[in-house]
Amino acid sequence: MFEVLEGLINTIRERKNSSSHESYTKKLLDDKNLCREKVMEEIKELIDALNQGSNQVHETADVIYHLLVLLEANDVKVEDVMNELKKREGISGLVEKANRKK
């Protein structure tokens, strides 16, 4: 299952070397404002889908794709995000949040 996610991440990274005329992903990677707008739009669509109880999986996939592109466009590596999540493993969210304020 996670091979699909890894494949998507690799494809997004490969698209950095393609033409924005041929690749929607490249177009997003080159325009951070458009990329942010798309993430916000897709999150709204997901929330609407959740509220309506329809099209939830499709909209979730759109959010994940656009979020991964946004991270890559801003040089935030998914591997670093995973390492941060690993550090938080086994720690209550309330404790983790309280520790950030110190």
Side-chain angles (χ1 to χ4, degrees):
M1 175 174 29
F2 290 106
E3 301 89 34
V4 173
L5 192 56
E6 288 178 11
L8 179 58
I9 293 163
N10 289 333
T11 298
I12 291 167
R13 289 175 179 167
E14 289 169 5
R15 291 295 190 268
K16 285 183 173 182
N17 300 316
S18 64
S19 164
S20 60
H21 299 291
E22 298 172 1
S23 170
Y24 175 67
T25 301
K26 174 66 171 172
K27 185 176 179 179
L28 292 172
L29 289 166
D30 286 347
D31 187 341
K32 290 180 185 179
N33 287 328
L34 175 62
C35 200
R36 280 190 296 269
E37 288 171 9
K38 286 302 296 181
V39 169
M40 290 186 294
E41 174 187 323
E42 296 299 340
I43 288 173
K44 182 189 177 308
E45 289 176 9
L46 173 58
I47 291 168
D48 290 345
L50 292 169
N51 287 337
Q52 296 168 7
S54 66
N55 218 21
Q56 300 161 339
V57 172
H58 177 86
E59 296 302 339
T60 301
D62 285 351
V63 168
I64 291 171
Y65 161 76
H66 284 90
L67 180 59
L68 291 172
V69 174
L70 178 64
L71 293 174
E72 195 64 34
N74 287 279
D75 296 317
V76 176
K77 299 297 177 208
V78 173
E79 295 84 353
D80 294 335
V81 175
M82 294 299 111
N83 287 332
E84 178 63 26
L85 290 172
K86 181 73 174 162
K87 284 192 265 182
R88 297 178 186 190
E89 194 174 351
I91 300 171
S92 161
L94 296 174
V95 171
E96 190 277 329
K97 189 171 182 175
N99 285 339
R100 280 192 261 159
K101 294 180 182 180
K102 293 180 181 178

